[in-house]
């Protein structure tokens, strides 16, 4: 558990209601040294519209026995929704506090997650489990520097029959990402930017 003051939020994701704890004040988690080292910012500690949109999208799917990994999970609503739908889920983030709180929030909602502290620039733990049936990522394209590593990583994570769901609120990096992703992937919109404030994209290996 993180040793910060937390509050409970009850979030409606589709037909599910998830009760999660999150830091009361994410700005209080700013760490100057971590920022200077990795430009690390505590974005994991907020409930982003993309996380809610992606959780709503996966929560309605029959995922019994499916193997799922989430990248940059933050509070991990999509991972928890996937586990509630029957999947075996590995939730990953480079923030140790994020994955600790994700595991604890999963238990609060009656499911278990496997977790890994993992930077997508050094993704050995995520690669060990590949191929995955489903890869999830919500709001991970807010920095242009992440476009290239994610374009390189994703094709290593799924094979024919697998899919990737990415939720994005219109970040600058997303435009470049989806333009370049068209080389390797068939990209479609799962459901459009509605009141949820984010679009969920479905990527399947090109040619499938
Ligand atoms: C904007 S937040 C979104 C969090 C969550 N997916 C959501 O939508 O609520 C971006 C997340 O990506 C994580 N992240 C950023 N860079 C990362 C990296 N290089 N490797 C792994 N996780 C990273 C952050 O810690 C944070 O949890």
């Amino acid at each position: 558990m993180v040793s910060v003051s937390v509050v409970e939020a009850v979030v409606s994701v589709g037909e599910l209601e998830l009760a999660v704890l999150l830091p009361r004040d994410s700005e209080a988690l700013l760490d100057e040294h971590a920022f200077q080292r990795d430009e690390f910012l505590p974005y994991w500690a907020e409930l982003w519209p993309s996380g809610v949109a992606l959780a709503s999208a996966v929560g309605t799917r029959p995922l019994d026995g499916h193997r799922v990994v989430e990248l940059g999970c933050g509070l991990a609503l999509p991972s928890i929704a996937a586990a509630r739908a029957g999947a075996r889920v590995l939730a990953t983030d480079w923030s140790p506090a994020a994955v600790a709180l994700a595991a604890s929030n999963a238990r609060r909602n009656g499911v278990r997650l496997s977790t890994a502290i993992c930077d997508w620039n050094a993704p050995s733990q995520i690669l060990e489990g590949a191929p995955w049936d489903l890869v999830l990522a919500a709001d991970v394209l807010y920095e242009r520097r992440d476009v290239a590593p994610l374009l390189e990583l994703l094709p290593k994570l799924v094979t024919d029959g697998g899919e990737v769901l990415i939720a994005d609120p219109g970040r600058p990096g997303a435009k470049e990402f989806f333009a370049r992703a068209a080389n390797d992937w068939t990209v479609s919109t799962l459901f459009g930017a509605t009141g949820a404030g984010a679009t969920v994209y479905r990527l399947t290996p090109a040619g499938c």
Side-chain angles (χ1 to χ4, degrees):
M1 266 301 277
V2 283
S3 57
V4 294
S5 174
V6 291
V7 288
E8 185 183 65
V10 178
V11 192
S12 295
V13 292
E15 290 173 6
L16 275 183
E17 289 221 318
L18 299 178
V20 294
L21 296 180
L22 68 156
R24 187 180 297 276
D25 176 10
S26 61
E27 288 190 11
L29 301 169
L30 275 169
D31 174 341
E32 228 173 84
H33 297 295
F35 180 74
Q36 278 168 6
R37 198 178 56 241
D38 291 327
E39 293 186 35
F40 176 89
L41 287 165
Y43 289 142
W44 65 268
E46 292 188 33
L47 273 174
W48 298 95
S50 295
V52 177
L54 187 53
S56 305
V58 297
T60 57
R61 294 182 153 212
L63 291 176
D64 248 344
H66 284 54
R67 296 179 63 257
V68 175
V69 66
E70 182 173 5
L71 312 179
C73 67
L75 294 166
L77 293 184
S79 287
I80 296 170
R84 288 280 297 255
R88 286 178 287 147
V89 185
L90 175 65
T92 72
D93 200 288
W94 68 351
S95 161
V99 297
L101 195 50
S104 149
N105 275 328
R107 288 192 296 275
R108 284 175 75 82
N109 288 280
V111 289
R112 285 196 173 272
L113 299 178
S114 299
T115 57
I117 300 160
C118 188
D119 183 337
W120 54 61
N121 294 291
S124 55
Q125 291 175 84
I126 298 170
L127 290 170
E128 270 168 28
W132 298 90
D133 298 313
L134 176 61
V135 178
L136 303 172
D139 206 351
V140 294
L141 296 164
Y142 55 95
E143 301 274 14
R144 284 212 164 88
R145 66 178 180 184
D146 292 317
V147 169
L150 288 169
L151 282 170
E152 192 184 330
L153 174 61
L154 291 173
K156 298 175 185 163
L157 299 185
V158 295
T159 50
D160 294 357
E163 61 182 330
V164 178
L165 297 181
I166 297 179
D168 186 83
R171 301 286 191 200
K175 200 170 173 200
E176 180 186 346
F177 176 89
F178 287 109
R180 290 172 59 185
N183 295 331
D184 290 320
W185 302 92
T186 302
V187 181
S188 58
T189 303
L190 206 59
F191 55 77
T194 55
T199 301
V200 180
Y201 299 89
R202 177 173 186 260
L203 287 72
T204 50
C208 294

